[in-house]
Amino acid sequence: GESVGLHLPTLSVQEGDNSIINCAYSNSASDYFIWYKQESGKGPQFIIDIRSNMDKRQGQRVTVLLNKTVKHLSLQIAATQPGDSAVYFCAENNKNAGNMLTFGGGTRLMVKP
Amino acid sequence: KAGVTQTPRYLIKTRGQQVTLSCSPISGHRSVSWYQQTPGQGLQFLFEYFSETQRNKGNFPGRFSGRQFSNSRSEMNVSTLELGDSALYLCASRTTLYQETQYFGPGTRLLVL
């Protein structure tokens, strides 16, 4: 069954299109950020991370952008596939809070074939 | 390397009972964190253990407790279960308290009737 919220923001994209998932973080002192993907019935899976001394980092088909001025993080997925359908969470790390992750509420990505 | 494993995967209990969940971290990881995931509250941090000691704690009542063994395996216990404890309980591990990235297990889905 579905493991995350029923009222998550949802992004619906066509297969093959690019997806952009946004996240606003709360703590200007956070210095490390992660994106996780959570498929139905599974735990969150690490996708990509970025440190605050960078503003862009690329992985395989994914890119994370960090704008510290407005405390905004985005995840771009190129050529979105049905297997990308999941809930995506951003998390920020705060060294002043025991080096713990604080998670955002998540965005549901639905890919239409 | 095997990932984080959690047992059991599914559990049904009744109000007032207690439950124990188990987590085995990735080999070599000495820190284990527990999270509760619900539709209404999202991912909430319960506690973290490192070297058999609780290092960080979230804002949960004392009915929620945990422990860690010398082999880094961890258990969490919830006593006097309430309906609101129904959730997906996720375990995450990392090598040390200084590593920001946490890797999640598949979770234990607890239903309290």
Side-chain angles (χ1 to χ4, degrees):
Chain A
E2 191 59 73
S3 58
V4 293
L6 301 176
H7 302 291
L8 293 172
T10 298
L11 175 66
S12 185
V13 301
Q14 201 71 39
E15 181 179 358
D17 287 352
N18 296 332
S19 303
I20 301 177
I21 301 170
N22 296 304
C23 175
Y25 63 93
S26 56
N27 190 343
S28 56
S30 293
D31 59 358
Y32 177 77
F33 305 88
I34 304 180
W35 280 100
Y36 286 95
K37 170 188 180 183
Q38 187 173 24
E39 296 175 272
S40 180
K42 298 183 179 180
Q45 174 189 1
F46 172 88
I47 303 174
I48 191 168
D49 58 3
I50 188 168
R51 296 196 179 278
S52 59
N53 61 354
M54 303 172 70
D55 52 22
K56 181 179 179 179
R57 188 162 189 226
Q58 288 185 286
Q60 186 179 14
R61 279 202 308 120
V62 294
T63 300
V64 55
L65 299 178
L66 175 62
N67 184 330
K68 294 183 288 294
T69 303
V70 295
K71 292 190 288 186
H72 183 267
L73 199 64
S74 69
L75 176 70
Q76 300 178 0
I77 304 174
T80 314
Q81 302 167 1
D84 295 326
S85 294
V87 176
Y88 290 81
F89 293 95
C90 68
E92 58 183 298
N93 183 71
N94 185 355
K95 279 197 167 66
N96 295 326
N99 212 28
M100 297 306 303
L101 294 175
T102 302
F103 287 84
T107 297
R108 188 187 308 277
L109 175 65
M110 296 177 63
V111 182
K112 296 175 287 188
Chain B
K1 246 189 217 183
V4 178
T5 58
Q6 293 187 245
T7 57
R9 292 295 313 278
Y10 304 93
L11 207 48
I12 300 175
K13 292 285 188 178
T14 55
R15 278 181 299 174
Q17 286 187 310
Q18 73 164 13
V19 67
T20 299
L21 311 181
S22 181
C23 171
S24 292
I26 292 171
S27 178
H29 287 197
R30 297 170 58 198
S31 161
V32 173
S33 295
W34 288 90
Y35 294 83
Q36 181 194 66
Q37 186 175 40
T38 59
Q41 300 296 321
L43 262 165
Q44 291 189 290
F45 171 71
L46 281 154
F47 30 66
E48 179 176 24
Y49 284 85
F50 179 79
S51 291
E52 302 176 63
T53 302
Q54 188 180 91
R55 303 296 179 136
N56 292 296
K57 189 178 188 303
N59 189 25
F60 276 81
R63 299 186 297 108
F64 292 81
S65 63
R67 60 177 176 167
Q68 187 180 33
F69 302 95
S70 58
N71 62 357
S72 297
R73 190 177 69 85
S74 176
E75 289 181 347
M76 68 162 281
N77 183 275
V78 188
S79 62
T80 320
L81 283 164
E82 300 176 0
L83 295 179
D85 296 333
S86 294
L88 182 68
Y89 290 88
L90 291 160
C91 167
S93 75
R94 53 181 171 172
T95 51
T96 70
L97 296 175
Y98 301 104
Q99 183 196 26
E100 297 100 335
T101 310
Q102 297 184 31
Y103 297 90
F104 285 85
T108 294
R109 179 162 295 285
L110 172 65
L111 177 62
V112 182
L113 301 175

